[in-house]
Amino acid sequence: MKESILVRGGRPLLGSVEVQGSKNSALPILAACVLADGVSVIENCPDLLDTAAMLDILEYIGCGVERSGHTVTVDSTDIKRTDVPDGLMHRLRSSIVLLGALLARTGRASMSGPGGCELGQRPIDLHLAGLNALGARARECGGVIKADCGSRRGGEFVLSFPSVGATENLMLFGTCCRDGVTIVNAAREPEICDLAEYMNSAGFDVRGAGSAVVHIGSGKRPERLVSHRIIADRIAAVTWLCAVAVAGGEAELIGAERGHFSCVADLLEASGCRMEKTENGLFVRSCGRLSGGKGMIRTGPYPCFPTDAQPLVSTVMTTARGCTLIEENMFENRYSHLGELSGMGADIELNGRFALIRGVDTLCGRTVRTHDLRGGAALVTAGLCALGETRVLNIGYIDRGYESIEKTLESLGADIERVTEENEDTEKR
Ligand code: EPZ
């Protein structure tokens, strides 16, 4: 049965919401559990299609896996398999991080390329180049990756681009390298720091996470029992910020760390939102029409403006006063939501990496289609301020990264529900 989300716009939001655990932290940390050779208790692990897919992979290779609410227990004492079948690999992008984990733990791995939102090419050349430079033998042929840990010599590797996934893969592989590993031009996202924190509590030796140079020492013995609490999801927090910004009203985002998305918070404040840190997170209020054009939005590696926030902020700017210019530098195909927003009455000019958004008075609800995770969330957010009803199709993408987006927004007072598509013709649109 196909499902869609129905939003009736016009209601301001009011209340407080617990920000879910970070998807992009949980996924590499679950993969890192393979290194632990014991039991890992992961708290605040979001219950998503992507984390379920990662847990299915861990079970397939031989881990014991148990979920109780937001606490996941992974027992990686007995790894039985080093291959990951296509059907599991293709369900998410982060499956590729199992390459480094399996090589470090078992010395070999075979898998197809990963899945993930279609935001562009999304190659894995940096992952393979780094692993091979550190002594592994990893080859991709016809979409199949075969690898062994080779000499495991370790050493220094300079990433030509601070890829998040490649940094994670090299951190995990680095734990088995004889001479330790130094990753130069490493990704600096908060999720990298969270992974390092888990790895250190598991008995490994990771230093410099959050900076451009990360060092993984050799020789530490993993602990038999590890526990770790996942950080709050900064992009989910940005999503609820943007929801309040477009719908108006106020909310407290419990667990939100403003420092993890300060570029976005600063821009929304400059546009007219009021924010203040609270004891438990971040309070946001938006009343009256926002002003766009408060500086160009250029996405880039952390701590630049996060690409994952671009779709959400685009939605905010469609009804803000003035013009806003966006430059999307991280992915070559991350504007799919703009076509749908234009269909709702937004005034958007697209030219390659650049999008110029001229604020209109209001959007009009209609049936729109999701093409990727954050683009889908942007369309739901647009429905909150559009006149009439907005039906968002293809919401499986959204469920990959949000625990019931409609229930969260409904708890803030939105008129929103998930509906099952009985009649097929809705799909033909
Ligand atoms: C992670 O993806 C996140 N996903 C993405 O969030 C996020 O948008 C992205 O980092 C950038 O910050 C997870 O953590 C699960 P990259 P990842 O490797 O690791 C190019 C979401 O919505 N590249 O930093 O795949 C690549 O094509 C998702 O939660 C290579 O060229 O991103 C892209 O242009 C979407 N070769 C750029 O680097 C490689 O070997 C950034 O990719 C690897 C990447």
Side-chain angles (χ1 to χ4, degrees), residues 176-208:
C176 78
C177 291
R178 286 200 314 269
D179 308 338
V181 164
T182 300
I183 306 166
V184 179
N185 196 26
R188 299 165 51 189
E189 275 73 358
E191 293 78 26
I192 299 290
C193 299
D194 207 20
L195 172 61
E197 204 174 302
Y198 165 79
M199 290 173 71
N200 285 331
S201 57
F204 297 102
D205 171 19
V206 183
R207 279 166 282 135

Side-chain angles (χ1 to χ4, degrees), residues 140-202:
E140 183 183 16
C141 181
V144 177
I145 303 160
K146 289 218 176 300
D148 64 58
C149 59
S151 68
R152 302 186 292 116
R153 65 176 171 275
E156 179 177 286
F157 182 73
V158 182
L159 278 167
S160 57
F161 183 88
S163 153
V164 171
T167 301
E168 292 163 349
N169 242 332
L170 300 184
M171 285 167 69
L172 299 187
F173 180 66
T175 57
C176 78
C177 291
R178 286 200 314 269
D179 308 338
V181 164
T182 300
I183 306 166
V184 179
N185 196 26
R188 299 165 51 189
E189 275 73 358
E191 293 78 26
I192 299 290
C193 299
D194 207 20
L195 172 61
E197 204 174 302
Y198 165 79
M199 290 173 71
N200 285 331
S201 57

Side-chain angles (χ1 to χ4, degrees), residues 23-24 93-94 119 122-127 161 163-165 189 307-308 330-331 334 373-374:
K23 166 180 83 77
N24 292 350
R93 170 72 183 181
S94 258
L119 304 174
R122 303 193 85 177
I124 56 167
D125 56 319
L126 299 179
H127 298 245
F161 183 88
S163 153
V164 171
E189 275 73 358
T307 177
D308 294 349
M330 296 291 279
F331 291 106
R334 191 155 213 177
L373 163 56
R374 307 301 175 183

Side-chain angles (χ1 to χ4, degrees), residues 208-384:
S211 78
V213 181
V214 178
H215 183 75
I216 299 90
S218 57
K220 295 260 289 190
R221 281 300 311 145
E223 306 289 334
R224 294 286 301 160
L225 177 61
V226 193
S227 68
H228 179 81
R229 181 175 176 78
I230 303 276
I231 57 172
D233 191 312
R234 60 193 171 104
I235 305 302
V238 161
T239 305
W240 313 137
L241 272 185
C242 292
V244 173
V246 278
E250 57 185 56
E252 182 181 22
L253 309 184
I254 298 165
E257 291 270 351
R258 177 180 172 140
H260 288 171
F261 49 90
S262 46
C263 286
V264 183
D266 294 350
L267 177 80
L268 291 175
E269 255 181 343
S271 302
C273 290
R274 244 200 74 226
M275 276 174 230
E276 62 188 68
K277 275 189 184 215
T278 64
E279 198 185 320
N280 302 317
L282 185 68
F283 171 84
V284 55
R285 173 180 294 140
S286 167
C287 41
R289 193 174 179 190
L290 299 177
S291 305
K294 297 295 178 190
M296 187 166 171
I297 297 173
R298 276 198 180 86
T299 65
Y302 193 88
C304 296
F305 196 97
T307 177
D308 294 349
Q310 176 266 103
L312 286 312
V313 173
S314 309
T315 290
V316 174
M317 296 308 160
T318 60
T319 56
R321 200 175 285 109
C323 293
T324 300
L325 184 59
I326 299 176
E327 183 181 4
E328 173 52 65
N329 297 306
M330 296 291 279
F331 291 106
E332 55 273 34
N333 177 27
R334 191 155 213 177
Y335 281 140
S336 61
H337 56 292
L338 295 185
E340 304 290 334
L341 290 172
S342 300
M344 294 174 74
D347 179 353
I348 301 171
E349 233 176 287
L350 206 40
N351 181 355
R353 287 205 315 267
F354 296 93
L356 180 66
I357 300 177
R358 293 184 181 83
V360 296
D361 291 343
T362 183
L363 299 178
C364 300
R366 58 172 290 180
T367 298
V368 292
R369 179 173 286 277
T370 290
H371 300 275
D372 59 68
L373 163 56
R374 307 301 175 183
L379 296 175
V380 171
T381 306
L384 296 173

